[in-house]
Amino acid sequence: MSFQDLGLNPKLLKALDAEGYTTPTPIQSQAIPLALAGRDVQGIAQTGTGKTAAFALPILHRLAANPKRPAPGCCRVLVLSPTRELASQIADSFRAYGKFMDLRSTVMFGGVPKGKQARAMQMGVDVLVATPGRLIDHLQDRAVNLSQVEILVLDEADHMLDLGFIVPIRQIVKMIPTERQTMFFSATMPKEIGNLASQMLKNPAHVAVTPVATTAERISQHVILLDTSHKRSVLCELLSSVVSGRTLVFTRTKHGADRVVKQLGESGLAAVAIHGNKSQGQRERALAEFKTGRCRVLVATDIAARGIDVDGVSHVINFDLPNVPETYVHRIGRTARAGADGAAISLCDGEERAFLRDIEKVIRMKIPQLPAPTARVARPRAA
Ligand code: AMP
């Protein structure tokens, strides 16, 4: 199936062509026809599957089919996203796919002043992408009015739950007309998320893409068993002689991320970090350096990395193993996106062996061992 077969507006087809997309991903070929027909959609899909375009394309098609000037302070489409990174990326995607349309869009999230965001709403916009907390602030200031929303999207609902956004979401949804189209995406559908979906959606069509555990099959996975004290030198060795592409290094803590960047720097390897203690400007700069390839190593914590959309990550290195197995699946899913192949290498010390066993249970495979890159770092030095 092609994007033409889906019957999308020629302006969107032109933009997709410019993006280099040739074939819809599975979530796109499932969700787009349903959304174009006006159905509510409940989707199970994680980042990396192409879910953003799965909702953005039919939304833009519907906006183009019924152009209207949005009223001041109003938006025709509201997309709720859990994190500022994801919100920015969704807004970028709308801009990219809508670049041949006369589209007004804006994004709002916390951590930056509100004034500019409020001014962007004054004339009204077609698409507003927002994190729930900051949107509530703007609603209280009466800078945003949701009475004209025609389409509502809730993205990464399970992550919203993790971050405690369910109450603000309920408040927000109450302000949106019930006569609307709603699309709801989540990587997992625990009971609480299922309940929220059933309150928000009307007779939804269900779409799902292969569960995370099997997404991992396209990724070559290895583990290096080593002493904690060797992690640093093994990482340097991997980055300088084994791993050549764009690499995402995961650490469990913010402090750990900063330490790894510093240690790599001391070994002459340029790396940037992204985590919750960094300012918005610092995060954007780090991401930009990584995206443009000026810096090929990005060190991130799990929360900060969720929703980062960077193409062409060839390697994921787990400097620490996560204690939640699903996090491992999320992490390695940052490579091998949209059909490319990727590789994941995990450094596992004695204390992390139990985490490794849990991960292997969830992914239903034994991760093959890789010898540490050199004898020098692999074995304790002989006395
Ligand atoms: P998402 O799951 O929305 O975060 O998308 C994952 C990545 O796949 C993004 O970098 C998109 O730009 C890319 N992508 C989405 N749809 C397609 C497609 N049909 N063909 C190629 N790349 C795509």
Side-chain angles (χ1 to χ4, degrees):
M1 199 195 282
S2 68
F3 285 107
Q4 276 95 330
D5 298 333
L6 293 172
L8 289 170
N9 186 300
K11 287 180 182 166
L12 294 175
L13 294 177
K14 198 170 152 192
L16 290 173
D17 202 40
E19 289 292 301
Y21 295 7
T22 51
T23 330
T25 66
I27 191 77
Q28 291 162 5
S29 41
Q30 289 180 52
I32 292 174
L34 295 162
L36 287 176
R39 290 284 303 271
D40 277 7
V41 174
Q42 180 172 347
I44 301 186
Q46 36 286 133
T47 298
T49 54
K51 70 178 159 62
T52 313
F55 61 77
L57 294 171
I59 287 176
L60 290 167
H61 179 98
R62 300 198 79 199
L63 290 178
N66 177 21
K68 249 193 231 169
R69 190 157 276 287
C74 293
C75 57
R76 297 185 64 191
V77 177
L78 173 66
V79 182
L80 292 174
S81 145
T83 62
R84 36 192 175 181
E85 278 83 15
L86 185 63
S88 310
Q89 274 156 30
I90 295 172
D92 288 347
S93 298
F94 270 98
R95 268 179 229 122
Y97 309 145
K99 73 174 170 194
F100 298 110
M101 292 169 53
D102 180 19
L103 181 80
R104 265 196 255 157
S105 65
T106 194
V107 57
M108 47 179 63
F109 43 72
V112 290
K114 288 193 288 185
K116 205 168 144 213
Q117 297 175 349
R119 279 194 296 282
M121 286 303 299
Q122 274 169 0
M123 303 284 286
V125 295
D126 295 296
V127 178
L128 168 62
V129 185
T131 54
R134 180 48 67 97
L135 177 58
I136 294 270
D137 287 349
H138 283 291
L139 287 165
Q140 278 163 355
D141 295 347
R142 305 200 180 277
V144 177
N145 171 336
L146 298 179
S147 65
Q148 312 277 308
V149 173
E150 299 162 45
I151 308 177
L152 168 67
V153 178
L154 187 78
D155 199 14
E156 294 205 345
D158 49 353
H159 198 197
M160 296 275 200
L161 177 74
D162 297 342
L163 296 175
F165 282 145
I166 299 299
V167 171
I169 288 170
R170 289 217 163 91
Q171 279 176 294
I172 291 166
V173 172
K174 265 196 228 139
M175 292 184 233
I176 300 175
T178 49
E179 208 41 57
R180 61 167 194 256
Q181 182 179 20
T182 310
M183 292 189 243
F184 187 107
F185 287 91
S186 191
T188 55
M189 208 51 80
K191 197 158 159 274
E192 213 170 340
I193 293 299
N195 290 345
L196 182 70
S198 56
Q199 286 159 7
M200 286 176 58
L201 299 161
K202 272 193 213 141
N203 183 27
H206 292 261
V207 297
V209 284
T210 358
V212 267
T214 53
T215 323
E217 282 164 11
R218 274 206 332 273
I219 304 169
S220 91
Q221 299 173 61
H222 287 97
V223 60
I224 299 176
L225 303 178
L226 73 186
D227 281 346
T228 321
S229 59
H230 290 148
K231 280 196 174 187
R232 172 187 167 178
S233 50
V234 168
L235 179 67
C236 290
E237 202 64 34
L238 283 173
L239 289 172
S240 50
S241 58
V242 181
V243 172
S244 54
R246 196 175 285 181
T247 305
L248 204 50
V249 176
F250 281 98
T251 60
R252 257 198 312 265
T253 64
K254 301 169 196 173
H255 190 62
D258 285 334
R259 206 165 39 220
V260 166
V261 167
K262 189 161 165 269
Q263 290 168 346
L264 290 175
E266 285 163 6
S267 307
L269 288 156
V272 284
I274 172 167
H275 56 64
N277 284 1
K278 301 266 177 190
S279 70
Q280 182 63 11
Q282 285 172 322
R283 287 168 183 236
E284 278 169 8
R285 269 195 303 281
L287 263 186
E289 290 197 5
F290 188 59
K291 280 188 180 173
T292 56
R294 233 183 345 224
C295 190
R296 73 173 175 93
V297 181
L298 180 68
V299 185
T301 55
D302 293 300
I303 291 271
R306 257 191 105 151
I308 301 179
D309 176 20
V310 188
D311 287 331
V313 172
S314 63
H315 288 78
V316 165
I317 298 180
N318 292 311
F319 187 78
D320 302 313
L321 273 186
N323 51 1
V324 179
E326 284 75 13
T327 304
Y328 173 84
V329 181
H330 277 296
R331 286 182 178 187
I332 69 166
R334 309 320 308 258
T335 177
R337 301 190 114 195
D341 286 329
I345 302 175
S346 302
L347 307 186
C348 175
D349 65 22
E351 287 180 13
E352 293 168 316
R353 297 292 165 88
F355 300 160
L356 180 64
R357 278 194 296 276
D358 290 345
I359 290 166
E360 291 181 328
K361 254 187 244 152
V362 166
I363 62 172
R364 288 184 231 108
M365 66 173 263
K366 185 148 179 58
I367 305 176
Q369 270 188 45
L370 201 67
T374 68
R376 182 167 55 85
V377 295
R379 294 186 205 102
R381 228 169 285 174

